[in-house]
Protein backbone atom coordinates (compact mmCIF):
# COMPACT_ATOMS: atom_id res chain seq x y z
CA UNK A 1 0.00 0.00 0.00
CA UNK A 2 2.86 2.35 0.86
CA UNK A 3 4.54 1.70 -2.52
CA UNK A 4 1.28 2.37 -4.37
CA UNK A 5 0.82 5.64 -2.46
CA UNK A 6 4.40 6.77 -3.23
CA UNK A 7 3.96 5.91 -6.92
CA UNK A 8 0.69 7.87 -7.03
CA UNK A 9 2.32 10.89 -5.38
CA UNK A 10 5.25 10.75 -7.85
CA UNK A 11 2.89 10.61 -10.85
CA UNK A 12 0.88 13.52 -9.49
CA UNK A 13 4.10 15.49 -9.07
CA UNK A 14 5.14 14.83 -12.68
CA UNK A 15 1.69 15.85 -13.92
CA UNK A 16 1.75 19.10 -11.98
CA UNK A 17 5.32 19.84 -13.16
CA UNK A 18 4.30 19.25 -16.77
CA UNK A 19 1.27 21.50 -16.43
CA UNK A 20 3.41 24.20 -14.81
CA UNK A 21 5.70 24.42 -17.84
CA UNK A 22 5.16 27.39 -20.13
CA UNK A 23 5.57 26.72 -23.84
CA UNK A 24 6.04 29.79 -25.99
CA UNK A 25 7.88 33.08 -26.24
CA UNK A 26 8.02 36.33 -24.35
CA UNK A 27 9.41 39.78 -25.06
CA UNK A 28 13.27 39.87 -24.91
CA UNK A 29 13.62 36.12 -25.67
CA UNK A 30 16.40 35.11 -28.08
CA UNK A 31 16.08 32.17 -30.48
CA UNK A 32 18.55 30.22 -32.59
CA UNK A 33 16.95 28.19 -35.36
CA UNK A 34 18.47 25.93 -37.98
CA UNK A 35 17.29 24.03 -41.04
CA UNK A 36 19.58 21.34 -42.44
CA UNK A 37 19.41 19.34 -45.67
CA UNK A 38 21.80 16.67 -46.90
CA UNK A 39 21.45 14.07 -49.63
CA UNK A 40 23.54 11.68 -51.70
CA UNK A 41 22.42 10.07 -54.94
CA UNK A 42 24.20 7.41 -57.00
CA UNK A 43 22.70 6.90 -60.46
CA UNK A 44 24.55 3.81 -61.69
CA UNK A 45 22.67 3.82 -64.97
CA UNK A 46 23.99 7.27 -65.85
CA UNK A 47 27.26 6.67 -63.95
CA UNK A 48 26.63 9.87 -62.00
CA UNK A 49 26.90 10.76 -58.31
CA UNK A 50 25.32 13.81 -56.69
CA UNK A 51 25.86 15.12 -53.16
CA UNK A 52 23.95 18.07 -51.70
CA UNK A 53 24.33 20.05 -48.48
CA UNK A 54 22.34 23.07 -47.26
CA UNK A 55 22.35 24.78 -43.86
CA UNK A 56 20.18 27.79 -42.99
CA UNK A 57 20.61 29.20 -39.46
CA UNK A 58 18.48 32.04 -38.07
CA UNK A 59 18.99 34.31 -35.06
CA UNK A 60 15.97 36.15 -33.67
CA UNK A 61 14.95 38.52 -30.88
CA UNK A 62 11.39 39.02 -29.60
CA UNK A 63 10.39 42.69 -29.51
CA UNK A 64 6.95 41.67 -28.17
CA UNK A 65 5.47 38.36 -27.01
CA UNK A 66 4.37 37.59 -30.59
CA UNK A 67 6.80 39.45 -32.88
CA UNK A 68 10.43 38.50 -33.54
CA UNK A 69 13.03 40.11 -35.81
CA UNK A 70 16.44 38.83 -36.76
CA UNK A 71 18.98 37.77 -39.36
CA UNK A 72 19.44 34.62 -41.39
CA UNK A 73 22.25 32.92 -43.29
CA UNK A 74 22.26 30.34 -46.06
CA UNK A 75 25.17 28.04 -46.93
CA UNK A 76 24.96 25.47 -49.70
CA UNK A 77 27.15 23.07 -51.64
CA UNK A 78 26.42 20.66 -54.49
CA UNK A 79 28.85 18.28 -56.20
CA UNK A 80 28.08 16.24 -59.32
CA UNK A 81 30.59 13.61 -60.43
CA UNK A 82 30.10 11.90 -63.78
CA UNK A 83 32.14 9.37 -65.74
CA UNK A 84 32.34 9.68 -69.54
CA UNK A 85 34.74 7.60 -71.65
CA UNK A 86 36.66 6.64 -68.49
CA UNK A 87 37.15 10.33 -67.65
CA UNK A 88 35.83 11.72 -64.36
CA UNK A 89 34.15 15.12 -64.67
CA UNK A 90 33.27 17.12 -61.57
CA UNK A 91 30.88 20.07 -61.32
CA UNK A 92 30.82 21.98 -58.00
CA UNK A 93 28.36 24.70 -56.99
CA UNK A 94 28.60 26.83 -53.84
CA UNK A 95 26.10 29.34 -52.52
CA UNK A 96 26.02 31.87 -49.70
CA UNK A 97 23.22 34.14 -48.58
CA UNK A 98 22.51 36.66 -45.83
CA UNK A 99 19.28 38.43 -44.95
CA UNK A 100 16.80 39.69 -42.37
CA UNK A 101 13.35 38.51 -41.30
CA UNK A 102 10.33 39.47 -39.26
CA UNK A 103 7.97 36.91 -37.74
CA UNK A 104 4.49 37.17 -36.22
CA UNK A 105 2.96 34.33 -34.16
CA UNK A 106 -0.76 34.44 -34.82
CA UNK A 107 -2.22 31.05 -33.84
CA UNK A 108 -1.76 28.53 -31.03
CA UNK A 109 -3.02 24.96 -31.34
CA UNK A 110 -2.90 23.60 -27.81
CA UNK A 111 -0.09 24.75 -25.53
CA UNK A 112 2.88 23.49 -27.57
CA UNK A 113 2.07 24.22 -31.24
CA UNK A 114 2.72 27.85 -32.31
CA UNK A 115 2.01 29.00 -35.89
CA UNK A 116 3.61 32.06 -37.48
CA UNK A 117 3.75 34.17 -40.63
CA UNK A 118 7.16 35.40 -41.76
CA UNK A 119 8.51 38.05 -44.14
CA UNK A 120 12.15 37.91 -45.20
CA UNK A 121 14.58 39.63 -47.56
CA UNK A 122 18.13 38.74 -48.47
CA UNK A 123 21.14 38.72 -50.78
CA UNK A 124 22.51 35.56 -52.38
CA UNK A 125 25.63 34.65 -54.37
CA UNK A 126 26.21 31.44 -56.33
CA UNK A 127 29.51 30.29 -57.82
CA UNK A 128 31.44 27.14 -58.54
CA UNK A 129 33.83 25.35 -60.85
CA UNK A 130 33.90 22.59 -63.43
CA UNK A 131 36.66 20.05 -64.05
CA UNK A 132 36.53 18.08 -67.31
CA UNK A 133 39.21 15.63 -66.21
CA UNK A 134 42.05 17.83 -67.40
CA UNK A 135 41.28 21.48 -66.74
CA UNK A 136 39.34 23.35 -64.06
CA UNK A 137 37.26 26.37 -65.07
CA UNK A 138 35.51 28.72 -62.64
CA UNK A 139 31.81 29.30 -63.23
CA UNK A 140 30.57 32.86 -63.66
CA UNK A 141 29.10 34.02 -60.36
CA UNK A 142 25.43 34.85 -60.06
CA UNK A 143 24.29 37.50 -57.58
CA UNK A 144 20.72 38.14 -56.55
CA UNK A 145 18.21 39.64 -54.15
CA UNK A 146 14.95 38.16 -52.95
CA UNK A 147 11.87 38.81 -50.82
CA UNK A 148 9.60 36.06 -49.53
CA UNK A 149 6.50 35.68 -47.37
CA UNK A 150 5.72 32.31 -45.84
CA UNK A 151 4.23 30.40 -42.95
CA UNK A 152 5.64 27.97 -40.41
CA UNK A 153 5.26 26.59 -36.91
CA UNK A 154 7.14 25.50 -33.80
CA UNK A 155 6.21 22.45 -31.74
CA UNK A 156 7.74 22.61 -28.26
CA UNK A 157 9.37 19.43 -26.97
CA UNK A 158 10.56 21.21 -23.82
CA UNK A 159 10.32 24.79 -22.58
CA UNK A 160 13.44 25.72 -24.58
CA UNK A 161 13.58 23.28 -27.52
CA UNK A 162 11.08 23.10 -30.38
CA UNK A 163 10.81 21.29 -33.69
CA UNK A 164 10.52 23.82 -36.53
CA UNK A 165 8.37 23.49 -39.65
CA UNK A 166 8.83 25.96 -42.52
CA UNK A 167 5.80 24.95 -44.58
CA UNK A 168 6.09 27.07 -47.73
CA UNK A 169 6.83 30.44 -49.31
CA UNK A 170 3.34 31.66 -50.14
CA UNK A 171 4.74 34.60 -52.13
CA UNK A 172 8.29 35.26 -53.36
CA UNK A 173 10.14 37.70 -55.60
CA UNK A 174 13.70 37.19 -56.86
CA UNK A 175 16.03 39.23 -59.03
CA UNK A 176 19.42 37.92 -60.15
CA UNK A 177 22.08 38.41 -62.82
CA UNK A 178 25.48 37.11 -63.88
CA UNK A 179 28.43 38.98 -62.39
CA UNK A 180 29.82 40.26 -65.71
CA UNK A 181 29.79 43.63 -67.44
CA UNK A 182 26.63 44.26 -69.42
CA UNK A 183 24.65 41.42 -67.85
CA UNK A 184 20.90 41.98 -67.54
CA UNK A 185 18.79 41.09 -64.54
CA UNK A 186 16.27 38.27 -64.51
CA UNK A 187 13.25 38.51 -62.22
CA UNK A 188 10.80 35.93 -60.90
CA UNK A 189 7.55 36.25 -58.99
CA UNK A 190 5.96 33.12 -57.53
CA UNK A 191 2.77 32.44 -55.63
CA UNK A 192 2.28 29.01 -54.07
CA UNK A 193 -1.28 29.18 -52.78
CA UNK A 194 -1.91 25.61 -53.93
CA UNK A 195 0.51 24.19 -51.34
CA UNK A 196 -2.20 24.65 -48.73
CA UNK A 197 -3.53 21.30 -49.98
CA UNK A 198 -0.46 19.55 -48.57
CA UNK A 199 1.95 21.56 -46.42
CA UNK A 200 4.33 18.66 -45.90
CA UNK A 201 5.09 18.23 -49.61
CA UNK A 202 7.17 21.44 -49.45
CA UNK A 203 8.04 21.68 -45.75
CA UNK A 204 11.51 22.03 -44.25
CA UNK A 205 12.22 20.71 -40.78
CA UNK A 206 14.69 21.96 -38.18
CA UNK A 207 15.18 22.82 -34.51
CA UNK A 208 14.62 26.02 -32.54
CA UNK A 209 16.42 26.81 -29.28
CA UNK A 210 15.06 29.49 -26.95
CA UNK A 211 17.76 31.23 -24.90
Amino acid sequence: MKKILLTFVALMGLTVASQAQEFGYKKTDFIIEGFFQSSNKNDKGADEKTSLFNFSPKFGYFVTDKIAVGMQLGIGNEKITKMANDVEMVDKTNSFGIGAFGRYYFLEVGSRFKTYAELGAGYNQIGGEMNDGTNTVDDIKTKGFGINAGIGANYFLTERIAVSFAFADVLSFNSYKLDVDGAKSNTEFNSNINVFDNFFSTAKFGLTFKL
Side-chain angles (χ1 to χ4, degrees), residues 123-138:
Y123 165 84
N124 181 266
Q125 178 176 291
I126 301 173
E129 63 181 32
M130 179 180 290
N131 183 288
D132 61 5
T134 304
N135 301 307
T136 299
V137 179
D138 291 335

Side-chain angles (χ1 to χ4, degrees), residues 102-123:
R103 179 181 294 182
Y104 173 64
Y105 285 83
F106 64 92
L107 177 65
E108 296 187 5
V109 182
S111 62
R112 296 174 183 258
F113 196 81
K114 318 293 182 180
T115 308
Y116 63 81
E118 183 173 291
L119 178 66
Y123 165 84

Side-chain angles (χ1 to χ4, degrees), residues 6 20-21 44 49 52 62 71 76 79 84 117 121 124 142 152 162-163 166 171 183-184 194 201:
L6 289 173
Q21 288 184 329
K44 294 183 178 180
K49 296 180 180 180
L52 177 69
F62 278 80
M71 66 174 294
K79 180 180 178 181
N124 181 266
T142 301
V163 178
L171 297 172
K184 295 183 178 180
N194 61 308
S201 65

Side-chain angles (χ1 to χ4, degrees), residues 135-199:
N135 301 307
T136 299
V137 179
D138 291 335
D139 294 335
I140 299 175
K141 292 182 179 179
T142 301
K143 297 181 178 181
F145 173 81
I147 300 173
N148 65 285
I151 54 175
N154 300 139
Y155 180 81
F156 279 85
L157 303 175
T158 71
E159 286 186 87
R160 296 191 176 275
I161 301 175
V163 178
S164 304
F165 308 90
F167 292 127
D169 285 337
V170 179
L171 297 172
S172 64
F173 170 81
N174 295 285
S175 176
Y176 58 92
K177 68 176 182 178
L178 295 174
D179 189 22
V180 295
D181 293 337
K184 295 183 178 180
S185 297
N186 296 292
T187 58
E188 295 179 352
F189 177 79
N190 298 298
S191 60
N192 295 319
I193 306 301
N194 61 308
V195 299
F196 287 114
D197 293 334
N198 184 2
F199 281 134

Side-chain angles (χ1 to χ4, degrees), residues 16 22 26 31 37 43 49 63 66 70 132 137 144 147 164 166 176 184:
V16 172
E22 294 184 4
K26 292 182 179 179
I31 57 170
Q37 179 187 16
D43 187 342
K49 296 180 180 180
V63 294
K66 293 183 177 294
D132 61 5
V137 179
I147 300 173
S164 304
Y176 58 92
K184 295 183 178 180

Side-chain angles (χ1 to χ4, degrees), residues 57-103:
K58 291 184 175 182
F59 310 91
Y61 175 76
F62 278 80
V63 294
T64 73
D65 291 351
K66 293 183 177 294
I67 298 175
V69 296
M71 66 174 294
Q72 55 191 350
L73 300 173
I75 302 168
N77 176 271
E78 183 181 40
K79 180 180 178 181
I80 301 174
T81 304
K82 187 172 184 177
M83 296 295 296
N85 299 321
D86 295 326
V87 176
E88 183 180 82
M89 297 182 292
V90 180
D91 187 4
K92 296 180 180 179
T93 303
N94 302 301
S95 64
F96 174 78
I98 186 170
F101 72 92
R103 179 181 294 182

